[in-house]
Amino acid sequence: MKIELIVSGVCPFCLEAEKVWRVAAADHGFEFVVLDIAQPEGAALAQRLNLQTVPALLIGGVLRAVGVQSPEEALTLLHSPRQEAHDRMQQMGFAFSPDNRWFILTAQVYLMLAGLGLLMNSSFLSDNAARPAFMHLFTLGFMLFMIYGLASHMLPRFTGNPIREGSWPWLQMGLAHCGVIGYAAGYLAGRHTLIVVGAVLTWLSLAIFAFRVWPVLWPEEA
Amino acid sequence: MHKRNRLFVSIALVYGLLGGLIAIVRLIDPSLIPGNVPRAHGHIMLLGFILMTIYGIALHVLPRFGGFPLYSEQMADWQLYLANAGLPLMIAGWLGWRDMLVMVGGALTYGAIVLFGLNMILTVRAGGRGRVIPVQ
């Protein structure tokens, strides 16, 4: 069963409602979707239901409540079988999910490391053996991580389709960190094998990202 | 999300995987892929992966953030065609040591960049065509 929460970016109470229902949905193993009325999917649903108030809650496609519910009220609205696999739940958040938050945060660390490395290594002035390490700390560590965090957060909201969650983003993140660090360390230490392993791990993280994002862009029913 | 914008992001993912794969193959054995592979890799990642991701997301979100509809859907469509005609030509030019292909491909890619830039300027500037339909 799917829980849909219709929200607005200018609604001060919507974030609180999302927190309550995210926890309730996770506890009961429900699919949880947040739809913004500023986006076409959310607007269409709000128009169909003739909604005048947000946040509004739909359970199984039926409008069940408006406003912010307490955790106890949320429980009373949920009389349903427990779902089998919590880690397979697909959701999209109004606020950053923890994985996307970490992608964005660590991207800034890689950015600072890359800039420091390029400055200290005089890589802005000349090519040298260590330059690829710092260049890729910027392109992979900063730019790729920013795309991971922002695209995973925004694309589900733009399309109204859920993204693959559970352990997938954490696997993607682990591979990306090991890959970027291994790649840079390989260049700095002059270890070619480490460079190759780092590149492969980073590529695998990108493949997982594509696997997660593809159904967001091209859902089966489309 | 408009199908064209989803195509931009999808194609960006394909370019990202392709560009990464080329780099890995090059790292393992530089003789396996002929031509100027580092330059091809760099441009596949920057023009193919990063720029097309930006195209797809920006064409969707900037009109909404700006409060006006996209100035021209046709310009954005042609931007998609030019970008995806230009980059393969550039890649073919670098891998085949054909400078003419790189130049033609570069010109087409630049055409896409100009279309995007103009479209965004005309969309985001104050006094555009009209407000996005408000939803209350």
Side-chain angles (χ1 to χ4, degrees):
Chain A
M1 198 182 295
K2 184 158 78 174
I3 298 174
E4 294 166 283
L5 188 67
I6 303 174
V7 300
S8 164
V10 296
C11 155
F13 308 107
C14 291
L15 198 59
E16 184 59 33
E18 188 198 343
K19 285 178 187 171
V20 169
W21 282 103
R22 182 184 298 283
V23 171
D27 287 346
H28 289 75
F30 288 131
E31 182 183 355
F32 180 51
V33 177
V34 177
L35 294 167
D36 188 342
I37 60 169
Q39 300 299 321
E41 297 78 13
L45 189 55
Q47 191 171 22
R48 180 168 66 80
L49 297 168
N50 196 24
L51 275 182
Q52 302 295 318
T53 306
V54 288
L57 178 79
L58 284 81
I59 301 177
V62 178
L63 182 63
R64 297 292 305 274
V66 293
V68 182
Q69 290 76 39
S70 66
E72 293 74 22
E73 290 170 328
L75 277 176
T76 62
L77 286 166
L78 291 174
H79 289 291
S80 57
R82 301 185 69 82
Q83 194 205 8
E84 59 283 357
H86 168 62
D87 63 349
R88 291 174 57 199
M89 183 187 73
Q90 298 181 331
Q91 54 84 24
M92 55 182 141
F94 187 56
F96 274 136
S97 60
D99 51 304
N100 292 332
R101 194 180 300 271
W102 275 108
F103 274 125
I104 301 294
L105 288 173
T106 49
Q108 315 316 314
V109 176
Y110 282 123
L111 175 65
M112 288 185 272
L113 283 176
L116 190 66
L118 287 167
L119 273 175
M120 294 186 70
N121 198 45
S122 300
S123 295
F124 288 125
L125 301 175
S126 64
D127 285 346
N128 54 56
R131 190 169 184 267
F134 301 122
M135 285 300 294
H136 285 81
L137 279 178
F138 177 74
T139 56
L140 297 178
F142 174 62
M143 295 171 79
L144 187 63
F145 270 62
M146 285 295 284
I147 287 178
Y148 282 167
L150 290 175
S152 300
H153 177 75
M154 291 190 297
L155 288 175
R157 299 184 66 221
F158 291 168
T159 60
N161 302 319
I163 189 169
R164 287 191 168 104
E165 286 285 333
S167 56
W168 287 112
W170 301 107
L171 180 61
Q172 176 192 335
M173 185 181 294
L175 286 169
H177 278 304
C178 292
V180 171
I181 293 168
Y183 187 89
Y187 267 106
L188 293 175
R191 296 290 183 88
H192 184 72
T193 307
L194 195 53
I195 297 171
V196 175
V197 170
V200 170
L201 293 179
T202 308
W203 189 87
L204 286 174
S205 81
L206 181 58
I208 290 175
F209 174 66
F211 169 73
R212 293 177 61 217
V213 164
W214 202 265
V216 176
L217 297 166
W218 308 104
E220 285 180 14
E221 61 273 14
Chain B
M1 192 175 189
H2 194 287
K3 184 181 179 183
R4 178 201 54 243
N5 302 337
R6 286 185 286 139
L7 272 173
F8 263 128
V9 178
S10 305
I11 292 168
L13 289 172
V14 174
Y15 273 123
L17 292 170
L18 177 71
L21 203 58
I22 286 176
I24 290 169
V25 172
R26 163 87 176 184
L27 281 171
I28 292 170
D29 185 350
S31 68
L32 282 177
I33 304 177
N36 192 342
V37 177
R39 189 151 297 186
H41 161 72
H43 285 78
I44 290 171
M45 298 309 285
L46 288 175
L47 294 178
F49 179 53
I50 303 286
L51 190 59
M52 289 208 202
T53 300
I54 290 173
Y55 281 164
I57 290 179
L59 282 169
H60 177 85
V61 80
L62 290 186
R64 287 163 171 78
F65 286 169
F68 295 95
L70 187 64
Y71 177 77
S72 171
E73 296 288 344
Q74 276 191 323
M75 281 170 74
D77 289 344
W78 277 101
Q79 177 195 337
L80 176 72
Y81 306 146
L82 289 177
N84 286 286
L87 185 55
L89 285 179
M90 293 173 82
I91 297 166
W94 279 312
L95 298 186
W97 297 110
R98 300 288 176 93
D99 289 348
M100 184 56 72
L101 282 181
V102 177
M103 288 175 66
V104 173
L108 294 175
T109 301
Y110 182 68
I113 289 170
V114 170
L115 285 178
F116 175 71
L118 288 175
N119 213 358
M120 286 300 103
I121 289 170
L122 294 169
T123 298
V124 175
R125 72 190 174 121
R129 283 183 175 174
R131 305 293 302 181
V132 168
I133 303 164
V135 177
Q136 300 299 330

